[in-house]
Amino acid sequence: MKRTSHIPELRAMVAQEKGRERVIALVPTMGYLHRGHLTLIEQAKKSGAFVVVSIFVNPLQFGPNEDYSRYPRDLERDARLLEEEGVDVLFHPTTEEMYPRPMVTYVEVGQLDSMLCGAARPGHFRGVATVVSKLFHIVQPDLAFFGQKDYQQYLIIRRMASDLNLPIEICAVPIVREEDGLALSSRNVFLTPEQRREAVILSQSLNEAERSIQAGERSAREIETRIRERITRESHGVIDYVEVRDAEGLSEVSDIEGPVLIALAVRFGSTRLIDNKVVEAEARV
Amino acid sequence: MKRTSHIPELRAMVAQEKGRERVIALVPTMGYLHRGHLTLIEQAKKSGAFVVVSIFVNPLQFGPNEDYSRYPRDLERDARLLEEEGVDVLFHPTTEEMYPRPMVTYVEVGQLDSMLCGAARPGHFRGVATVVSKLFHIVQPDLAFFGQKDYQQYLIIRRMASDLNLPIEICAVPIVREEDGLALSSRNVFLTPEQRREAVILSQSLNEAERSIQAGERSAREIETRIRERITRESHGVIDYVEVRDAEGLSEVSDIEGPVLIALAVRFGSTRLIDNKVVEAEARV
């Protein structure tokens, strides 16, 4: 595996492979890799592509009171994992390499960016869309892989790619979970043992919601209320949002029909966890 | 010369040339071509590149009360001119091809986009940056050519390319003028014979300003006032703005030193004309 933190060097590596007609895949990450990331990489490898993994904790997508400075980082451990996965290039730019001068250009994906996680984190998705746009222009991949844990982020990137005619296929990879159901996240490391035990309520309440819908429940508000009540009753988690939305455009729904996204964000102490499930409601007979 | 209005067909043509190691140049235009455009194309040809010219009157960059619907169009005349210039591909997409569904993604170049022409035309440069971003992703050129008549647009595109790491060299081409000094513009066709005669005051007052600076005048406000007074005295033009700005970042200046942009926008009847001059002030002895 090659490693570089320099844009021109990365571009030269990619250009060489493009000259050999290789398909280029990008897996953009913020590092502190877990099995969720490795699943993205395995999917990228399966495509037969030349796989570039980027590790960059992007300051632009963190709010002033968020966890940018304490976001977990361990580049050498990450590099060993990527080496084992057979990744071709690790691109780990510095902040100065990505932002050599103050940015004045931003990519904004309206409508999708101000709800759910965007409501609690103003500017977050603008920062995400902008840095992903930069990474896309730097790497110029044919394929890019995103995890469905960040479902809203995936939809935003997909819409950005479509609206701006990016010549890149955006590939989604399902959520990877711990044995007890907790969605893998680099932030899980911040949970105390008690919070870690309690956090399982997120996936459990999503599973219960899915069963309710499969059993015929069609009220989005009713589903949201049941999830909120269960989380509040069975944990110390503080709910940021619990929402049932249209799975394609994230618009509000009252009656559940077709595929819906059930998405939630809950704070355990200062650690904010997100999880979601896409549920396909069968037509009522 | 090949012609297409379809994105996939255009991409296939470009990919074939890239496979032959050809440099790709894009000259984005709104059509109704004049010698200014042809100068851009000649510069592109000089680079030895495979030259793609796009003609697309972009609704996104016109305000609700602006001249989108009456903007002059003559595709067949344009095509003949491009053929004569030895252009390789004319890309003339329909609005449906460029905007198959409502856009939610926009590229915003802050700071540079709300002053000068941006003040009078809110949303204009957002529309420009967004459509140019789309054209860049569609054509994937190595070089792109912009005229300095739209100096603010050129700076915005250059900054966008830099901030978003677009792998494209942005090339500026000097203003082309009629014999009497009027800057070429597709909108000149709207001028009545009297307005056409009066419009020469724009370049004349810019030339006079340049001479004043060369003669030692260093007050930006004084230069602006003299231009305003002369235009008001010698024509029926209604001034939108006359500004002396830093030529790199368009920030306000009071004392003229280094390169400054003198830019103006003046309406003759319902036709809004712009012109500008970059003047390098020699250090005072």
Side-chain angles (χ1 to χ4, degrees), chain A residues 10 23-29 40-41 44 47 49-55 89 91 131-146 168-169 171:
Chain A
L10 186 274
V23 169
I24 312 294
L26 170 65
V27 183
T29 83
L40 295 177
I41 291 161
S47 70
F50 181 81
V51 176
V52 178
V53 175
S54 64
I55 294 183
V89 179
F91 176 53
V131 79
V132 170
S133 172
K134 285 169 68 76
L135 289 167
F136 282 176
H137 294 141
I138 291 167
V139 180
Q140 296 178 256
D142 303 289
L143 310 171
F145 290 80
F146 293 85
I168 301 171
E169 187 182 337
C171 309

Side-chain angles (χ1 to χ4, degrees), chain A residues 15-267:
Chain A
Q16 189 172 38
E17 298 301 321
K18 287 201 169 198
R20 294 173 184 159
E21 308 271 309
R22 293 236 12 221
V23 169
I24 312 294
L26 170 65
V27 183
T29 83
M30 297 209 301
Y32 214 74
L33 304 173
H34 51 63
R35 276 191 296 119
H37 298 108
L38 302 185
T39 306
L40 295 177
I41 291 161
E42 282 152 21
Q43 288 299 316
K45 291 288 295 179
K46 261 189 201 164
S47 70
F50 181 81
V51 176
V52 178
V53 175
S54 64
I55 294 183
F56 180 60
V57 184
N58 172 37
L60 221 59
Q61 71 193 65
F62 288 81
N65 297 312
E66 293 183 358
D67 58 355
Y68 172 67
S69 59
R70 70 169 195 138
Y71 194 87
R73 295 159 167 91
D74 190 342
L75 185 62
E76 291 316 313
R77 177 181 157 279
D78 287 346
R80 285 193 299 276
L81 289 169
L82 296 176
E83 180 92 50
E84 285 165 21
E85 290 289 328
V87 163
D88 296 290
V89 179
L90 164 57
F91 176 53
H92 55 95
T94 61
T95 306
E96 291 65 36
E97 184 79 2
M98 290 296 281
Y99 301 114
R101 59 177 180 171
M103 288 283 282
V104 301
T105 308
Y106 292 93
V107 180
E108 309 239 19
V109 184
Q111 290 179 22
L112 293 172
D113 68 356
S114 52
M115 56 180 74
L116 305 179
C117 284
R121 308 185 68 186
H124 170 66
F125 286 117
R126 189 180 79 150
V128 169
T130 302
V131 79
V132 170
S133 172
K134 285 169 68 76
L135 289 167
F136 282 176
H137 294 141
I138 291 167
V139 180
Q140 296 178 256
D142 303 289
L143 310 171
F145 290 80
F146 293 85
Q148 286 197 312
K149 185 164 101 29
D150 301 295
Y151 190 89
Q152 187 176 6
Q153 169 179 283
Y154 156 66
L155 282 191
I156 283 172
I157 299 301
R158 203 180 64 174
R159 186 65 190 262
M160 172 182 85
S162 164
D163 279 358
L164 296 185
N165 301 95
L166 281 156
I168 301 171
E169 187 182 337
I170 307 301
C171 309
V173 178
I175 297 176
V176 179
R177 298 178 180 281
E178 301 283 7
E179 261 189 34
D180 66 0
L182 180 69
L184 295 189
S185 164
S186 303
R187 289 189 174 95
N188 290 350
V189 71
F190 292 134
L191 298 171
T192 67
E194 194 202 342
Q195 289 169 342
R196 171 65 189 81
R197 277 191 299 277
E198 288 193 0
V200 72
I201 194 69
L202 304 188
S203 59
Q204 285 178 351
S205 61
L206 288 171
N207 290 337
E208 186 185 327
E210 180 179 47
R211 287 192 299 272
S212 299
I213 293 169
Q214 284 165 348
E217 179 60 57
R218 288 295 178 272
S219 164
R221 295 298 84 74
E222 177 62 27
I223 293 289
E224 290 169 0
T225 302
R226 284 190 211 163
I227 295 174
R228 289 174 167 276
E229 285 178 357
R230 185 162 175 201
I231 292 172
T232 306
R233 194 170 60 236
E234 298 182 25
S235 82
H236 295 85
V238 177
I239 292 170
D240 177 2
Y241 65 79
V242 174
E243 301 256 12
V244 178
R245 297 276 183 145
D246 166 66
E248 284 298 310
L250 299 185
S251 56
E252 296 189 18
V253 296
S254 49
D255 293 328
I256 296 171
E257 49 182 345
V260 292
L261 171 75
I262 314 173
L264 48 80
V266 177
R267 274 180 291 118

Side-chain angles (χ1 to χ4, degrees), chain B residues 111-180:
Chain B
Q111 290 177 22
L112 294 173
D113 67 355
S114 52
M115 58 181 72
L116 304 180
C117 284
R121 307 184 68 186
H124 170 66
F125 286 117
R126 188 180 81 150
V128 169
T130 302
V131 78
V132 169
S133 172
K134 286 168 69 74
L135 288 168
F136 282 177
H137 294 141
I138 291 168
V139 180
Q140 296 178 255
D142 303 289
L143 310 171
F145 290 80
F146 292 85
Q148 286 196 314
K149 184 164 101 28
D150 300 295
Y151 190 90
Q152 187 176 8
Q153 168 179 285
Y154 156 66
L155 282 191
I156 284 173
I157 298 301
R158 202 181 65 174
R159 186 66 190 260
M160 172 181 86
S162 164
D163 279 357
L164 297 184
N165 301 97
L166 281 156
I168 300 171
E169 187 183 337
I170 308 301
C171 309
V173 179
I175 297 177
V176 178
R177 299 179 179 280
E178 301 283 5
E179 262 189 34
D180 66 0

Side-chain angles (χ1 to χ4, degrees), chain B residues 53-260:
Chain B
V53 174
S54 64
I55 294 183
F56 179 60
V57 184
N58 172 37
L60 222 59
Q61 71 194 64
F62 287 82
N65 298 313
E66 292 183 359
D67 57 355
Y68 173 66
S69 60
R70 70 168 195 139
Y71 195 87
R73 295 158 167 91
D74 190 342
L75 185 61
E76 291 316 312
R77 178 180 155 278
D78 288 345
R80 283 194 301 275
L81 288 170
L82 296 176
E83 180 91 51
E84 286 166 20
E85 289 290 328
V87 164
D88 294 292
V89 180
L90 163 57
F91 176 52
H92 55 96
T94 61
T95 306
E96 292 64 37
E97 185 79 2
M98 290 297 280
Y99 301 113
R101 58 177 180 171
M103 287 285 282
V104 302
T105 308
Y106 292 94
V107 181
E108 309 240 18
V109 184
Q111 290 177 22
L112 294 173
D113 67 355
S114 52
M115 58 181 72
L116 304 180
C117 284
R121 307 184 68 186
H124 170 66
F125 286 117
R126 188 180 81 150
V128 169
T130 302
V131 78
V132 169
S133 172
K134 286 168 69 74
L135 288 168
F136 282 177
H137 294 141
I138 291 168
V139 180
Q140 296 178 255
D142 303 289
L143 310 171
F145 290 80
F146 292 85
Q148 286 196 314
K149 184 164 101 28
D150 300 295
Y151 190 90
Q152 187 176 8
Q153 168 179 285
Y154 156 66
L155 282 191
I156 284 173
I157 298 301
R158 202 181 65 174
R159 186 66 190 260
M160 172 181 86
S162 164
D163 279 357
L164 297 184
N165 301 97
L166 281 156
I168 300 171
E169 187 183 337
I170 308 301
C171 309
V173 179
I175 297 177
V176 178
R177 299 179 179 280
E178 301 283 5
E179 262 189 34
D180 66 0
L182 180 68
L184 294 190
S185 164
S186 301
R187 288 189 174 95
N188 290 351
V189 70
F190 292 136
L191 298 170
T192 66
E194 194 201 341
Q195 290 168 342
R196 172 64 190 81
R197 276 191 300 275
E198 288 193 359
V200 72
I201 194 70
L202 304 188
S203 60
Q204 285 178 352
S205 59
L206 288 170
N207 289 337
E208 184 185 328
E210 181 179 45
R211 286 192 300 270
S212 299
I213 293 170
Q214 285 165 347
E217 178 60 58
R218 288 294 178 271
S219 163
R221 293 302 82 73
E222 176 62 26
I223 293 289
E224 290 169 0
T225 302
R226 283 191 213 165
I227 295 174
R228 289 173 168 278
E229 285 178 355
R230 182 161 179 204
I231 291 172
T232 306
R233 193 172 58 235
E234 297 181 26
S235 82
H236 295 86
V238 177
I239 292 169
D240 178 0
Y241 65 79
V242 173
E243 302 257 10
V244 177
R245 298 275 183 145
D246 167 67
E248 283 299 308
L250 298 186
S251 57
E252 296 189 17
V253 296
S254 51
D255 292 327
I256 295 172
E257 48 182 346
V260 292

